[in-house]
Amino acid sequence: QVQLVESGGGLVQAGDSLRLSCAASESTFSNYAMGWFRQAPGKEREFVAAISRRGGSTNYADSVKGRFTIYRDNAKNTGYLQMNSLKQEDTAVYLCAARNFGTSMSSDRYAYWGRGTQVTVSS
């Protein structure tokens, strides 16, 4: 069972960049597709981005396309979310998730979750 730990969140100003990391406990990290989700206070968890097991396929929410990039380094058992041109509406707890087989934009398809990292974007 893979365990996931996010890091890299923080308080930034609008227009700034952040890179989130998701470290996996297993050397078999390449067996899992990975996704990033976010949840703001009072809102439902929403899909942000997903990447296939080998990194050859990615998906993005429309709200982050062109600003965020998901990628992974399977040799380091780590996934990343590069966030550029951050906006106030990007403020949320960001969670990484993993699932066997292919990517999914649905949170209930992911079996493994980290605890999240807070991203706060001020004006």
Side-chain angles (χ1 to χ4, degrees):
Q1 181 172 344
V2 64
Q3 295 180 329
L4 305 171
V5 179
E6 303 92 337
S7 61
L11 172 63
V12 297
Q13 292 187 326
D16 284 351
S17 298
L18 274 178
R19 188 183 75 164
L20 305 183
S21 299
C22 175
S25 61
E26 290 189 1
S27 60
T28 55
F29 179 58
S30 60
N31 289 343
Y32 300 89
M34 190 188 78
W36 284 95
F37 293 79
R38 66 187 182 187
Q39 189 161 18
K43 294 187 177 181
E44 294 187 354
R45 187 171 297 181
E46 66 170 346
F47 170 76
V48 176
I51 188 167
S52 59
R53 288 173 289 178
R54 299 294 186 266
S57 176
T58 57
N59 303 96
Y60 295 92
D62 288 343
S63 59
V64 306
K65 277 182 183 176
R67 299 189 298 123
F68 290 11
T69 302
I70 187 171
Y71 61 103
R72 64 193 296 162
D73 186 342
N74 287 340
K76 295 182 178 180
N77 301 327
T78 303
Y80 303 93
L81 184 68
Q82 177 66 43
M83 306 187 294
N84 298 331
S85 302
L86 282 161
K87 304 175 181 180
Q88 278 189 282
E89 50 263 44
D90 295 319
T91 295
V93 174
Y94 283 71
L95 306 103
C96 70
R99 68 185 301 268
N100 296 108
F101 310 115
T103 60
S104 176
M105 298 172 64
S106 177
S107 61
D108 60 9
R109 297 293 183 97
Y110 288 82
Y112 309 104
W113 290 85
R115 293 187 176 184
T117 185
Q118 175 71 46
V119 172
T120 303
V121 184
S122 64
S123 61

